[in-house]
Amino acid sequence: MLDLLLTRCSVPGSTQMMDLGVQCGQIAFWREHTGTHQPNSKEILDVNGKLVLPGLVEPHIHLDKALLLDRLAEDAFTLQDAIAYTADLKRTFTADDIGRRAARVIRKAVANGVSVMRCHVEIDPVIGLVSMEVMAAIKEQVKEVIDLQIVAFPQDGLFLDVRTPGLMRKAIELGADVVGGITYADRNVSGHLDFVFRLAEEYGLPVDLHVDFSDLADERAILEVVKYTKKFSLYGRVSVGHLTSLGSMNPGDAEPIAEAIADTGIHVMALPATDLYLNGRGDDHKVRRGLAPVKLLLDKGVNVIYGSNNIQNAFTPTGTADPLDIGLLLFQTCHMSSSRDSELIIEMATFRAAKALGLTNYGFRPGSSADFVICDARDSRTLLFERSARERVYKKGRLVARTDVQQTVWLGEGSGTLFAGG
Ligand SMILES: [Zn+2]
């Protein structure tokens, strides 16, 4: 006997309706809807052609410095200002404060259909291990609702303070899932990467780096990342966020680098909400968008995905913790405008992000965790363009969020049948 049977589910790019069976928190089957021989189930839900996706994946977010807009003395318009203002605020953070802000973002994300999230946690002598300890506790508290992966992240560099490398090691021992790094905080990029990759090797962890975040075409730390990925044989286990300098290069320089990224299986996480906000500020005409070259990377076979990065802080004043808001930004700014592109954008927030995060029990294969979301849309474009509600969100087969949109519009008496049929 099934616990739940969903019938007549739509999927992106297909007219074939599907049925989804759930048992003991896992996918029992995902098969074509025939309308006959329905198996017994404690609950049956006819979703009547609505889109059903595996749980959305938020692959890059900073929960510990989210929701800080109302504390900023002034708005930040450059990356340097954003880092400096946030470093000042960080001195006032307490465990309780970090936990409350992180929980508010997690709540929003779950309502938006997110079932897995990778968050970067600041590690430095100012905050110490407070963020790490808070996030490790939250990870445990929310595990029935959302899976958290924690990246130990030295935002202010590894070598500007001698205590930071030791704190990074302690963060790993406290349960960080991923070793983080940043190529634009320390002068010695090779030394920085050497430390990060050695730590990853020692603890058997993947690597997730902030790389080449500027609009300067001569920033090419990505080449060092490629070198270290090969040296440590971490093929497919390294991700890079931003990579916007690559978007400023001419094609003759950018193409071989994109090919090298593809060859080493490095995943690229575009972070357009931040990149569009902070890059291009020095241009007084022909202002560049300052984004990673998403289409070029896709053409070369790179696994490109996207993340929110920040939610309402100095780096990114916007943000709703809805991955599809960010997907829409890619549609609008990367010329991803065909209907197939819309399906690809949905794929980037689901299967492709799951691949980058190394998720092994993801999707609709029998035995996978029953994490899925029913959307109030019938196809990818509608979901993306109308930001359709995620009506029901399930984690391990259990309903964890429900959104009912109620809206009333009073039409003029003269409208007659004009609006009939919706
Ligand atoms: Zn980031």
Side-chain angles (χ1 to χ4, degrees):
M1 164 92 69
L2 295 171
D3 295 319
L4 174 64
L5 172 64
L6 261 57
T7 64
R8 298 199 296 161
C9 309
S10 284
V11 290
S14 170
T15 52
Q16 176 63 52
M17 299 271 195
M18 305 293 286
D19 288 349
L20 176 67
V22 175
Q23 195 170 33
C24 300
Q26 296 183 332
I27 304 293
F29 60 77
W30 172 247
R31 64 192 183 201
E32 292 185 359
H33 172 76
T34 59
T36 55
H37 302 301
Q38 267 193 2
N40 287 331
S41 179
K42 291 175 194 162
E43 185 184 355
I44 297 175
L45 198 58
D46 178 0
V47 301
N48 192 19
K50 288 184 176 173
L51 210 53
V52 177
L53 301 173
L56 303 183
V57 178
E58 170 56 76
H60 185 127
I61 196 165
H62 298 259
L63 294 172
D64 53 356
K65 55 186 180 192
L67 305 176
L68 293 173
L69 274 191
D70 57 353
R71 299 188 202 175
L72 285 170
E74 53 186 320
D75 297 324
F77 298 122
T78 66
L79 175 61
Q80 291 69 29
D81 283 350
I83 291 174
Y85 297 170
T86 307
D88 278 347
L89 287 180
K90 201 154 53 175
R91 297 178 192 284
T92 67
F93 287 1
T94 63
D96 184 55
D97 167 44
I98 294 169
R100 282 177 193 277
R101 287 183 290 103
R104 280 172 63 197
V105 176
I106 289 170
R107 186 188 164 97
K108 287 173 192 280
V110 169
N112 288 325
V114 176
S115 62
V116 183
M117 183 183 259
R118 176 181 280 185
C119 65
H120 292 250
V121 170
E122 311 255 324
I123 307 293
D124 57 60
V126 173
I127 197 72
L129 294 166
V130 174
S131 279
M132 182 63 219
E133 286 164 351
V134 169
M135 228 51 73
I138 289 179
K139 176 181 170 176
E140 183 62 24
Q141 284 172 307
V142 300
K143 67 182 182 188
E144 298 303 319
V145 177
I146 188 170
D147 293 321
L148 280 191
Q149 287 187 359
I150 303 175
V151 186
F153 175 50
Q155 166 81 75
D156 301 321
L158 281 169
F159 303 127
L160 298 180
D161 190 300
V162 293
R163 292 169 288 181
T164 309
L167 288 168
M168 282 290 287
R169 182 173 290 279
K170 280 187 183 150
I172 304 297
E173 284 164 5
L174 281 171
D177 305 282
V178 183
V179 184
I182 175 169
T183 62
Y184 42 91
D186 284 314
R187 279 211 196 109
N188 181 357
V189 174
S190 294
H192 186 105
L193 293 177
D194 193 67
F195 177 87
V196 168
F197 277 79
R198 279 184 195 282
L199 200 56
E201 183 179 58
E202 186 181 338
Y203 288 89
L205 297 178
V207 167
D208 195 328
L209 303 159
H210 288 62
V211 175
D212 294 342
F213 180 20
S214 84
D215 43 33
L216 304 173
D218 57 355
E219 285 197 11
R220 300 179 184 196
I222 183 61
L223 290 172
E224 287 291 298
V225 177
V226 166
K227 199 173 91 184
Y228 276 91
T229 303
K230 286 180 183 168
K231 184 178 172 186
F232 285 82
S233 290
L234 270 183
Y235 300 98
R237 301 197 73 207
V238 175
S239 299
V240 297
H242 295 297
L243 200 64
T244 53
S245 301
L246 191 64
S248 289
M249 290 179 205
N250 62 52
D253 289 339
E255 283 177 16
I257 295 176
E259 284 161 8
I261 294 169
D263 287 347
T264 40
I266 293 172
H267 311 280
V268 173
M269 302 185 179
L271 307 170
T274 306
D275 300 339
L276 288 163
Y277 178 68
L278 290 176
N279 280 337
R281 294 275 177 176
D283 297 336
D284 58 8
H285 68 294
K286 293 185 180 174
V287 178
R288 287 166 294 171
R289 286 173 172 162
L291 296 171
V294 173
K295 285 207 114 169
L296 168 67
L297 290 161
L298 287 169
D299 286 349
K300 296 295 180 187
V302 177
N303 184 34
V304 185
I305 55 174
Y306 53 82
S308 293
N309 195 27
N310 286 290
I311 304 291
Q312 300 174 27
N313 67 11
F315 297 83
T316 319
T318 54
T320 57
D322 184 354
L324 299 185
D325 274 5
I326 308 300
L328 185 60
L329 268 185
L330 281 201
F331 173 93
Q332 290 163 324
T333 60
C334 295
H335 296 150
M336 296 186 71
S337 40
S338 69
S339 63
R340 171 60 195 139
D341 284 336
S342 290
E343 287 161 15
L344 183 56
I345 287 170
I346 302 296
E347 222 175 278
M348 290 159 108
T350 51
F351 293 100
R352 285 173 182 249
K355 183 181 175 190
L357 268 53
L359 307 182
T360 53
N361 64 346
Y362 184 83
F364 290 144
R365 280 192 310 273
S368 296
S369 182
D371 304 347
F372 55 91
V373 51
I374 303 171
C375 310
D376 185 22
R378 286 165 197 279
D379 57 73
S380 302
R381 288 216 254 199
T382 308
L383 173 61
L384 204 54
F385 299 172
E386 298 198 358
R387 297 172 168 90
S388 310
R390 305 326 115 73
E391 288 190 341
R392 290 169 184 245
V393 182
Y394 290 82
K395 179 71 179 171
K396 297 179 187 173
R398 198 172 63 85
L399 186 65
V400 292
R402 181 173 175 165
T403 298
D404 299 304
V405 179
Q406 191 180 346
Q407 186 177 61
T408 307
V409 179
W410 285 273
L411 302 168
E413 285 180 8
S415 61
T417 59
L418 184 61
F419 297 102

